[in-house]
């Protein structure tokens, strides 16, 4: 039986790599994001391997998120795997200097957006007593680091929601997984530093970060276990990273 996955944040980084990995493994795809030209390009690329449908919505918009997911054609409506990946950090400032717009973005996208998408997808999983939700958390949701304050809070919330979902959905036979990466070089730091690519590059100076493909491999491992096995949580670090603040750098 062919499975269908809905991936948020499929236009870049971890979500994009996950879409490609899933397609190579024969998973039909509902790809979500706000940058339509990227969704179109990805649909053209992966459409050669599997069935692909794209949805353009901002996860901050509860009504549009619900409407777009409800608009899925019949053949894409049964979501077997939900990858809640859309998310970003905005800024890296001491709490007393933080900007309200950045705080709102992180809470609205990383926490509330994940909830809105989940609310739109979970009912059909509950009805079928089958499904797998994979939330992309972070090392930042396991330990707080200097200036990480609100981003860390948003990822601690994802960790709590993952655990809560696992409890509440247990009786419905739904697997819930969190994949918690450390440093991954994607557009993440460019977004965090609002387009300052030099500052973004400096985050990974003298060390080898994870690639989006490294994370996608682990997401696929979790998604492809037998029915009785749930990979509950994974902390995935680059070898050079011991924790949020200890990173071995060369030069
Ligand atoms: P990218 O910036 O490369 O990708 C972020 C994705 O999220 C994009 O596809 C973007 O799509 C989507 N997105 C952002 N905001 C919204 C929104 N409001 N509505 C819909 N989609 C949105 O970063 P990563 O791939 O690194 O990040 C993916 C996840 O991994 C995030 O949850 C992040 O917190 C987490 N993570 C990242 C780590 C890292 O070091 N890179 C480490 C640990 C966790 P579009 O702009 O088209 O909407
Ligand atoms: C992203 C990893 O360490 O920049 O979640 O917070 S970190």
């Amino acid at each position: 039986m062919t499975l269908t996955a809905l991936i948020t944040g499929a236009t870049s980084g971890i979500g994009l790599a996950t879409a490609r990995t899933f397609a190579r493994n024969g998973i039909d795809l509902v790809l979500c994001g706000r940058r339509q030209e990227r969704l179109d390009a990805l649909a053209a690329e992966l459409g050669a391997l599997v069935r692909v449908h794209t949805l353009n919505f901002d996860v901050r918009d509860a009504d549009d998120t619900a409407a777009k997911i409800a608009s899925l054609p019949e053949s894409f409506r049964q979501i077997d795997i939900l990858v809640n990946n859309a998310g970003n950090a905005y800024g890296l400032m001491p709490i007393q200097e933080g900007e309200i717009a950045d705080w709102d973005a992180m809470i609205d996208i990383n926490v509330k957006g994940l909830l809105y998408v989940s609310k739109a997808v979970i009912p059909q999983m509950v009805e079928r007593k089958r499904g797998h939700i994979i939330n992309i958390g972070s090392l930042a949701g396991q330990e707080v680091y200097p200036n990480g304050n609100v981003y860390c809070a948003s990822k601690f919330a994802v960790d709590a929601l993952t655990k809560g979902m696992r409890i509440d959905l247990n009786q419905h036979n739904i697997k819930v997984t969190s994949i918690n990466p450390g440093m991954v070089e994607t557009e993440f730091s460019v977004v965090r530093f609002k387009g300052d690519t030099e500052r973004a590059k400096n985050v990974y100076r003298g060390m080898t970060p994870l690639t989006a493909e490294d994370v996608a491999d682990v997401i696929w491992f979790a998604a492809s276990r037998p029915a009785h096995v749930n990979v509950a949580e994974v902390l995935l670090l680059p070898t050079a990273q011991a924790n949020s603040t200890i990173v071995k750098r060369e030069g």
Side-chain angles (χ1 to χ4, degrees):
M1 190 192 64
T2 306
L3 301 178
T4 300
L6 185 149
I7 303 173
T8 65
T11 55
S12 171
I14 294 168
L16 173 59
T18 303
R20 289 188 170 132
T21 301
F22 277 24
R24 279 198 303 276
N25 286 282
I27 306 293
D28 287 341
L29 295 168
V30 178
L31 303 176
C32 309
R34 293 167 301 174
R35 286 171 285 183
Q36 188 60 45
E37 67 292 348
R38 291 197 185 195
L39 290 174
D40 290 343
L42 197 54
E45 175 192 331
L46 302 183
L49 299 174
V50 292
R51 293 186 315 119
V52 180
H53 189 89
T54 65
L55 291 179
N56 187 324
F57 61 90
D58 185 326
V59 297
R60 285 174 287 195
D61 185 332
D63 291 342
D64 198 40
T65 298
K68 291 287 163 55
I69 294 175
S71 80
L72 280 170
E74 189 57 40
S75 59
F76 283 96
R77 219 164 261 177
Q78 180 178 308
I79 305 299
D80 301 289
I81 306 163
L82 166 61
V83 182
N84 272 319
N85 164 77
N88 275 117
Y90 291 89
L92 183 69
M93 305 283 268
I95 196 80
Q96 67 277 16
E97 293 169 29
E99 293 182 14
I100 287 175
D102 289 344
W103 297 349
D104 284 344
M106 290 185 276
I107 302 289
D108 289 349
I109 298 169
N110 302 355
V111 184
K112 293 166 70 181
L114 180 148
L115 283 169
Y116 299 156
V117 173
S118 301
K119 183 159 179 65
V121 172
I122 287 173
Q124 52 86 33
M125 289 184 172
V126 167
E127 201 176 307
R128 290 184 295 115
K129 300 279 181 244
R130 221 169 138 262
H132 192 172
I133 300 170
I134 301 177
N135 293 332
I136 309 306
S138 174
L139 171 62
Q142 313 286 307
E143 51 174 286
V144 179
Y145 54 85
N147 303 328
N149 45 66
V150 178
Y151 178 66
C152 293
S154 76
K155 289 298 183 176
F156 269 72
V158 171
D159 188 53
L161 291 172
T162 301
K163 289 172 172 146
M165 285 180 181
R166 197 178 302 122
I167 292 165
D168 296 345
L169 298 173
N170 170 267
Q171 61 177 310
H172 299 294
N173 198 38
I174 295 168
K175 297 187 193 189
V176 185
T177 294
S178 67
I179 306 291
N180 301 308
M183 297 161 81
V184 192
E185 192 164 8
T186 60
E187 292 178 8
F188 178 86
S189 291
V190 179
V191 173
R192 168 170 253 176
F193 299 127
K194 301 171 185 175
D196 184 339
T197 49
E198 278 313 303
R199 192 172 174 201
K201 222 184 310 167
N202 197 45
V203 171
Y204 313 106
R205 173 188 42 83
M207 58 85 67
T208 305
L210 297 170
T211 64
E213 290 72 24
D214 294 327
V215 183
D217 284 347
V218 176
I219 294 171
W220 172 244
F221 178 82
S224 58
R225 292 310 85 206
H228 69 287
V229 178
N230 180 34
V231 177
E233 47 188 52
V234 176
L235 176 62
L236 185 71
L237 303 177
T239 304
Q241 183 174 25
N243 62 23
S244 283
T245 52
I246 299 177
V247 178
K248 181 174 182 294
R249 298 184 195 268
E250 308 293 340

